[in-house]
Amino acid sequence: MSDDEELNILDEPLTPCSLDPETGYERDGYCREILADAGRHEICAVMTEAFLEYSASQGNDLRSARPELEFPGLEPGDRWCVCVPRWLEAEDAGVAPPIVPEATARSVLTHLSPETIEAHAHDP
């Protein structure tokens, strides 16, 4: 899919989630659908303390830098492309991070309803 065909959940052109820190499966700033990405890093989310704690408790410490993976470590307020299954788990646990609709791939609509997205939309 070319860049001009990539849409967000609002049916508009997908915008970058974060360039600092650089996020996305391809570390290009975008949370897009990529067939090779089994984790589906398609939700642009704003990190919260509760979500970072939850993710660490599930074995994925997003706070700690991993230089070998070019990962700087995240803090509350950072935007990051989150895996669809992890976001859904976090929602079930009551700690789902806010979603940035303009930077979230349209493909997540196969797993999240527009109502769920609206209920968790980031309010800048």
Side-chain angles (χ1 to χ4, degrees):
M1 184 178 290
S2 67
D3 287 342
D4 61 347
E5 294 174 325
E6 291 183 301
L7 298 176
N8 61 28
I9 56 180
L10 304 172
D11 261 340
E12 298 169 349
L14 188 65
T15 63
C17 179
S18 176
L19 299 172
D20 184 21
E22 206 163 42
T23 190
Y25 180 74
E26 295 182 328
R27 291 294 194 265
D28 62 358
Y30 287 86
C31 305
R32 57 170 52 106
E33 179 181 25
I34 297 174
L35 295 179
D37 177 13
R40 298 199 56 196
H41 295 79
E42 299 165 22
I43 296 176
C44 180
V46 179
M47 297 296 97
T48 63
E49 186 64 35
F51 177 74
L52 291 170
E53 285 179 22
Y54 175 77
S55 187
S57 76
Q58 299 302 304
N60 187 15
D61 177 10
L62 296 173
R63 286 191 191 111
S64 299
R66 300 275 310 271
E68 71 278 12
L69 300 175
E70 298 180 35
F71 179 69
L74 301 176
E75 299 176 0
D78 286 340
R79 291 181 176 197
W80 195 250
C81 294
V82 174
C83 296
V84 173
R86 177 54 42 93
W87 191 93
L88 291 168
E89 290 171 3
E91 183 192 27
D92 286 344
V95 295
I99 294 172
V100 181
E102 61 273 12
T104 296
R106 181 164 176 68
S107 55
V108 305
L109 292 173
T110 60
H111 293 284
L112 277 75
S113 71
E115 294 79 19
T116 297
I117 293 166
E118 185 176 326
H120 292 280
H122 175 62
D123 187 15

